[in-house]
Amino acid sequence: MSIERTLNLIHNEFEMIEPMPEVLDIEEYTEEDFLETCAGCSESLIAFKRRAYDEYRTLKFPAWKRASLDSFSLKRPVPGVEYELTGPEIYKSISEMDQSEESLIRKLDFQGSDRKFTLLADSFSKTGIIVRTKENTYYGETLFCKTSSESAIASNLIVIEENSKLDIIFYSRGSDLSVITNRFLIKKGAQLNVLFVNLSSAKSHSIFNNYYVLGEKANLRLYDINLGGTVLAPYHLIKTAGRGASARIKPIFFPTNNEKIDMLYLGRVDAPESTTEIEGIGAVSGNSKAVFRGFVDIKKGAKNSSGTEHSSTIILSDKATVQAIPGLFVDENEVNASHAASAGTIENDKIYYLMTRGLTMNEALKLIVNGAFEPVLQEIEEIFGNEIPGGVRDVLSKRIG
């Protein structure tokens, strides 16, 4: 069964030869570690994990250049994830996976930021969740999934059935190691609003791989708040597979000190009359680094579709860096597509104007930077109802200085 890859390396009759990436020599989990994570799991989950593990052990961990993983290591014993779940009771432990769910999750296989990490989560997950809505049902209450574990390895499956609607929040705070794979299937006429809040600790490595498949006239609103960590690497691949599907992706990011965030948002438009919009906004300070890769990939046959990608970053330190890497791949003529990126410091005139109105320099700076984030934060609160978990506004202000 084929997997959904990040980039299509085939053009007409030509196929690009993939370069051999540099790898790291990290002490691996063993067969004994794997078997321990299978304890208490259903036969279907064990079958899924075994297939993943057989491939996992043939691969090495990547030596990323933009966000070095030199200090990365696995934790022992193999960590699970402890979710505190509130909201509609439409979930169960992934350890109870049945045969149909095992078949479905294998159909949603994908490469992720690196195949090694996607398979790590699939192989060693033991306490993830399966969420499944009922058809034609709107859930007024948000499903809130809070991770309280110091370390977490998990693989989750979320299915939004036809003509249903769900709001879901994944909230993570301060894990030393997080390797989590999420698969979302949003069926015909369904709507999913999803918010990720990742408040990683300064010493954490967090790799999140997410894959979304949207059916006919399905609707996705994705908000992704990423604040710090030794390395924080969120990956989101959104595939509009059904006619008239729509996806809006709005990431917020703000690393500081020596933190690194390496983001990839890929909107793959595979069906006619579909829409994908990616709009990221962030800031960098201290010695931090942010990499923002926003790709729109419109496939042949996706007539009358549109895809846009834009990112803007405020630079608050001479030592902070940002790399904006937009990508636009279009195989169909009858489409609208565009991309843009901007990065820069705050103009002194704006600071001076606010200081003439009685603000200190720091107050003026906070007003401008917070003002850049505020429209998205307000949009999040309008959709999810309550204050954003984790006191995101306060965290953002403290990072300004």
Side-chain angles (χ1 to χ4, degrees):
M1 189 173 292
S2 63
I3 67 171
E4 192 75 20
R5 294 189 173 277
T6 301
L7 295 177
N8 184 357
L9 301 176
I10 300 175
H11 179 68
N12 294 329
E13 70 272 27
F14 299 103
E15 182 174 355
M16 182 182 293
I17 297 174
E18 292 189 55
M20 292 295 293
E22 295 184 26
V23 297
L24 296 175
D25 187 17
I26 292 174
E27 184 179 359
E28 290 276 7
Y29 289 138
T30 64
E31 175 78 16
E32 288 71 27
D33 293 320
F34 169 74
L35 292 175
E36 284 185 12
T37 68
C38 293
C41 296
S42 66
E43 291 184 4
S44 295
L45 179 57
I46 292 173
F48 172 70
K49 286 161 61 69
R50 172 56 73 179
R51 289 190 186 90
Y53 179 63
D54 286 346
E55 183 181 352
Y56 166 85
R57 60 186 179 182
T58 67
L59 304 174
K60 293 285 189 179
F61 285 100
W64 287 340
K65 293 181 180 178
R66 293 189 176 90
S68 172
L69 294 173
D70 288 346
S71 60
F72 175 82
S73 64
L74 298 173
K75 306 294 182 184
R76 283 190 167 79
V78 181
V81 58
E82 299 295 332
Y83 279 123
E84 297 177 19
L85 296 160
T86 58
E89 296 184 0
I90 51 175
Y91 50 81
K92 66 178 183 181
S93 169
I94 199 167
S95 64
E96 303 173 49
M97 177 185 286
D98 62 29
Q99 195 170 8
S100 66
E101 290 160 345
E102 190 259 341
S103 176
L104 174 59
I105 200 170
R106 285 199 293 121
K107 291 178 181 176
L108 296 174
D109 202 5
F110 68 113
Q111 185 178 29
S113 56
D114 188 275
R115 182 70 170 160
K116 181 73 172 180
F117 287 111
T118 307
L119 292 169
L120 171 62
D122 289 344
S123 301
F124 295 94
S125 175
K126 54 184 178 182
T127 52
I129 55 173
I130 295 175
V131 176
R132 193 156 209 157
T133 67
K134 294 181 179 178
E135 290 187 0
N136 306 307
T137 303
Y138 273 40
Y139 295 88
E141 189 178 6
T142 298
L143 178 59
F144 185 67
C145 310
K146 179 181 178 182
T147 304
S148 55
S149 314
E150 291 185 0
S151 298
I153 293 178
S155 182
N156 302 316
L157 173 65
I158 294 88
V159 180
I160 312 300
E161 297 286 357
E162 288 190 7
N163 300 311
S164 65
K165 174 182 175 294
L166 180 68
D167 300 337
I168 184 168
I169 298 175
F170 287 94
Y171 171 60
S172 174
R173 185 181 186 90
S175 298
D176 290 338
L177 170 69
S178 294
V179 182
I180 296 177
T181 295
N182 294 311
R183 293 174 171 87
F184 299 83
L185 177 61
I186 308 165
K187 295 188 178 181
K188 180 180 179 181
Q191 180 171 344
L192 173 66
N193 299 320
V194 58
L195 165 64
F196 292 91
V197 181
N198 301 316
L199 303 180
S200 300
S201 66
K203 297 181 179 179
S204 67
H205 287 84
S206 304
I207 293 94
F208 301 114
N209 288 306
N210 302 276
Y211 179 35
Y212 311 75
V213 176
L214 279 65
E216 182 179 343
K217 294 184 179 178
N219 195 315
L220 170 68
R221 298 290 180 268
L222 165 61
Y223 301 89
D224 194 26
I225 299 175
N226 294 298
L227 302 174
T230 300
V231 173
L232 172 58
Y235 170 101
H236 297 264
L237 193 165
I238 302 97
K239 181 177 180 179
T240 52
R243 179 186 290 268
S246 173
R248 292 178 63 196
I249 303 103
K250 294 195 174 185
I252 286 178
F253 54 94
F254 196 163
T256 187
N257 298 321
N258 294 306
E259 297 171 338
K260 296 181 179 65
I261 304 180
D262 188 355
M263 301 156 277
L264 192 151
Y265 301 91
L266 167 58
R268 178 157 292 155
V269 183
D270 226 7
E273 300 168 12
S274 298
T275 302
T276 294
E277 300 174 7
I278 303 170
E279 187 174 359
I281 184 163
V284 290
S285 66
N287 295 310
S288 69
K289 180 178 183 179
V291 181
F292 189 96
R293 287 177 284 182
F295 298 159
V296 173
D297 183 13
I298 302 179
K299 294 299 187 184
K300 189 71 176 176
K303 295 183 182 297
N304 301 317
S305 293
S306 64
T308 60
E309 186 273 339
H310 177 259
S311 69
S312 62
T313 308
I314 300 171
I315 302 174
L316 299 172
S317 165
D318 292 339
K319 296 180 179 178
T321 61
V322 58
Q323 294 180 344
I325 308 172
L328 192 58
F329 311 94
V330 181
D331 288 336
E332 179 57 64
N333 293 322
E334 300 174 36
V335 299
N336 291 316
S338 65
H339 67 77
S342 64
T345 57
I346 298 173
E347 296 174 12
N348 289 332
D349 288 351
K350 292 182 179 178
I351 299 285
Y352 177 75
Y353 175 80
L354 291 173
M355 291 178 69
T356 62
R357 297 300 186 268
L359 275 65
T360 65
M361 178 177 288
N362 189 256
E363 289 171 340
L365 193 63
K366 286 189 175 183
L367 186 65
I368 293 171
V369 177
N370 285 330
F373 291 121
E374 194 57 30
V376 180
L377 298 179
Q378 288 183 8
E379 190 173 315
I380 290 171
E381 290 179 339
E382 288 173 4
I383 291 176
F384 294 92
N386 299 315
E387 185 177 341
I388 301 170
V392 168
R393 280 191 174 85
D394 290 340
V395 175
L396 289 170
S397 290
K398 290 177 181 176
R399 285 176 172 251
I400 297 169

